[in-house]
Amino acid sequence: MATFDAVLRGALPAPFASRGGDSFDTSLWSATAIAPQRYEPLRGDAHTQVAIVGAGYTGLATAIALADAGIAATVLDAVEPGFGASGRNGGQVIPLVKYDPDQMIARYGQALAEGILQMLEASSDSVFALTERFDIACEATRAGWIQAAHNEAAVPGIRGRYEQWQARGANVAWLDAAQLAKTIGTDRYVGGWIHRGAGTVQPLSYARGLAQAAVSLGVAVHGASLVTRMTREADGWTLHTAQGRLRADQVVLAGNGYTTDLWPGLAQTIVPLYSMQIATGPLPAALNDEILPGMQCVSETRRVVRYFRKDRAGRFVIGSRGPFTPQPGAAAGQALVDSTRKLYPQLKDVPFEYRWAGRVAVTPDAMPHLHRLAPGVWAALGCNGRGVAMSTLMGRVLAAACTGDRSHAPQYPDSDLTRIPFHALHRLGVAAAVTWFRLLDRFA
Ligand SMILES: Cc1cc2nc3c(=O)[nH]c(=O)nc-3n(C[C@H](O)[C@H](O)[C@H](O)COP(=O)(O)OP(=O)(O)OC[C@H]3O[C@@H](n4cnc5c(N)ncnc54)[C@H](O)[C@@H]3O)c2cc1C
């Protein structure tokens, strides 16, 4: 279904449209995902206990957790489930964010940090528990995530990370250069570690599977339903779409990098960066045996990180920071192909058949933010490229917030809504920073 028939032939809603088009339909994940269901737009007047804006992992996991608690939920998406980052990402299910246990304790204090760390530790499990519970056909694989050092200077930093997570009892191991070469299939890395609690999914299939699971629990899911306005009522809120109105006691905003101007200032709390990916077709058998034979996923230590994996059919997928556009052009794609062939010279004659991009919501403190925007209005956004596991578990936090009892949910702190200064200039700042980081990586 070409991006929900380009939102029922009205093309993409204004906040997501761009002159160059959108690469959702050209992604590997669109080409290989489980079939999409048709989620009809909201029409006329409806009522629900909790209205959720955004059908990515955050919104859908919230809906599932609400349904489990016996609370009626309705999910509205501007396009369709998985249209945002959830249908475009690398599918790496990693139970980590930027900060390690020591840094977390320094930032938040022992008690709060402990709650966040426990949430992180449970985050990958929460993904695999859902794929198992609902039998989601999303190639769920738990072979581990490797962080690989691209030079000697990067080794002490990740060695420290590994030691801290090992001290907390995580299922981790240190890998020397020879072990990395055998596991990854390239000799470009000098040291690294593996977290065996991590894994991979076909990200769009996972999102579509969550939507089907939510529906099976009685959740109403609507596609082609951009929420353009929300108005406060005496006993809740009304969400307005082109063809309908949804009355709700409470609202959860789960637009992440695709957040619109629905709530004043919310979109200005994050910078939406584009990450771009390319993928080959199924690798020839010899290369498939040589490159990531154990199906781990990998991120490297460069400032402009590359992350890569294979899918079950042996297609090699790699991503990195992209240009500021939802439709990365041939030149940007070729630059990533060239850098990939330096990493894996054996891919020199293998064509890359897919190229796409999606918005990563970046926060200034590199942590996901949970906001109570008003009584009965919640938002969670800003997974900083580590949202497959974390957004899924954030759904349980949001659902618990809606019930008014967060004591049994993972403990995650609320943040104040703080607009990023000079937010409107972020495109310029991002472009400059990425060019600078690429330069530094070249000389590192
Ligand atoms: C290219 C890329 C690679 C990534 N790789 C990884 C990875 O390997 N591992 C990892 O852990 N994380 C990764 N991430 C991050 C991860 O994908 C996200 O953190 C996660 O998917 C966020 O889910 P979400 O539900 O919060 O938001 P999204 O999936 O972005 O969903 C937001 C939804 O909200 C809808 N929406 C917004 N505004 C409105 C409105 N007004 N009305 C109706 N609907 C609206 C949009 O249509 C969209 O479907 C990556 C992200 C990208 C873009």
Side-chain angles (χ1 to χ4, degrees):
M1 204 178 314
T3 317
F4 198 16
D5 299 343
V7 195
L8 304 179
R9 288 162 300 283
L12 285 179
F16 309 141
S18 92
R19 250 182 300 149
D22 186 281
S23 59
F24 180 79
D25 292 323
T26 60
S27 81
L28 167 64
W29 309 131
S30 280
T32 61
I34 56 173
Q37 307 288 306
R38 202 174 178 87
Y39 295 100
E40 292 300 328
L42 177 75
R43 292 192 176 99
D45 288 314
H47 178 262
T48 189
Q49 285 176 282
V50 181
I52 299 167
V53 181
Y57 305 144
T58 305
L60 294 166
T62 305
I64 289 171
L66 284 168
D68 283 343
I71 295 173
T74 297
V75 185
L76 303 174
D77 198 279
V79 185
E80 63 177 280
F83 170 76
S86 300
R88 306 164 186 249
N89 63 70
Q92 303 197 357
V93 186
I94 307 168
L96 301 171
V97 288
K98 181 177 176 188
Y99 303 111
D100 300 325
D102 284 359
Q103 293 167 313
M104 208 74 94
I105 292 164
R107 290 179 75 85
Y108 294 99
Q110 187 77 42
L112 207 50
E114 190 54 38
I116 302 173
L117 290 167
Q118 286 176 13
M119 181 167 168
L120 280 173
E121 284 161 353
S123 61
S124 284
D125 293 343
S126 74
V127 172
F128 294 107
L130 284 172
T131 61
E132 210 171 299
R133 174 179 167 197
F134 295 105
D135 199 15
I136 299 175
C138 63
E139 304 187 4
T141 305
R142 212 156 183 184
W145 168 76
I146 295 170
Q147 188 177 30
H150 69 290
N151 62 19
E152 290 296 344
V155 170
I158 59 170
R159 178 96 204 173
R161 285 198 101 173
Y162 150 73
E163 283 165 1
Q164 287 189 43
W165 287 105
Q166 187 191 40
R168 286 187 66 84
N171 187 357
V172 297
W174 184 254
L175 303 173
D176 63 23
Q179 289 167 310
L180 283 174
K182 201 161 168 243
T183 314
I184 302 182
T186 171
D187 59 7
R188 299 297 151 105
Y189 297 112
V190 297
W193 64 295
I194 180 165
H195 193 309
R196 295 202 178 90
T200 50
V201 289
Q202 206 286 15
L204 182 56
S205 294
Y206 176 50
R208 287 180 176 164
L210 288 180
Q212 288 171 22
V215 169
S216 75
L217 297 175
V219 173
V221 178
H222 296 282
S225 299
L226 175 73
V227 181
T228 52
R229 205 158 53 91
M230 51 190 282
T231 48
R232 195 189 291 260
E233 312 292 343
D235 54 353
W237 295 84
T238 299
L239 273 59
H240 303 256
T241 67
Q243 301 177 61
R245 284 185 306 186
L246 179 64
R247 287 288 307 273
D249 306 336
Q250 301 192 67
V251 179
V252 170
L253 301 177
N256 205 46
Y258 293 79
T259 294
T260 61
D261 287 331
L262 200 53
W263 190 271
L266 187 60
Q268 287 74 36
T269 64
I270 55 134
V271 171
L273 297 185
Y274 278 96
S275 185
M276 181 181 79
Q277 287 173 89
I278 54 174
T280 66
L283 294 175
L287 283 182
N288 195 30
D289 290 346
E290 196 180 326
I291 296 176
L292 295 168
M295 297 298 282
Q296 293 85 2
C297 55
V298 183
S299 307
E300 54 178 22
T301 47
R302 289 171 195 276
R303 291 179 189 85
V304 181
V305 171
R306 289 179 299 189
Y307 52 95
F308 49 94
R309 55 169 289 192
K310 290 189 308 192
D311 74 355
R312 283 248 175 106
R315 300 179 187 90
F316 180 78
V317 189
I318 184 164
S320 188
R321 186 68 47 75
F324 202 94
T325 165
Q327 184 62 278
Q334 192 55 47
L336 187 50
V337 170
D338 293 345
S339 92
T340 303
R341 289 183 175 147
K342 282 191 188 129
L343 180 63
Y344 284 109
Q346 59 272 55
L347 289 177
K348 73 176 182 342
D349 296 322
V350 176
F352 282 80
E353 299 176 5
Y354 305 91
R355 179 173 76 232
W356 70 101
R359 288 188 199 172
V360 176
V362 175
T363 55
D365 62 358
M367 286 294 286
H369 291 171
L370 172 67
H371 299 293
R372 181 176 179 271
L373 298 171
V377 185
W378 297 89
L381 73 175
C383 279
N384 298 281
R386 285 284 166 77
V388 179
M390 203 52 179
S391 308
T392 301
L393 200 51
M394 196 60 96
R396 285 206 2 233
V397 178
L398 286 161
C402 293
T403 67
D405 178 8
R406 288 163 73 174
S407 59
H408 300 294
Q411 296 303 302
Y412 198 83
D414 298 358
S415 301
D416 294 334
L417 187 152
T418 310
R419 293 173 199 238
I420 297 171
F422 308 110
H423 186 268
L425 300 178
H426 69 263
R427 286 171 192 235
L428 295 175
V430 167
V434 171
T435 309
W436 171 239
F437 285 153
R438 285 221 169 96
L439 210 64
L440 288 178
D441 280 336
R442 206 164 296 160
F443 293 109

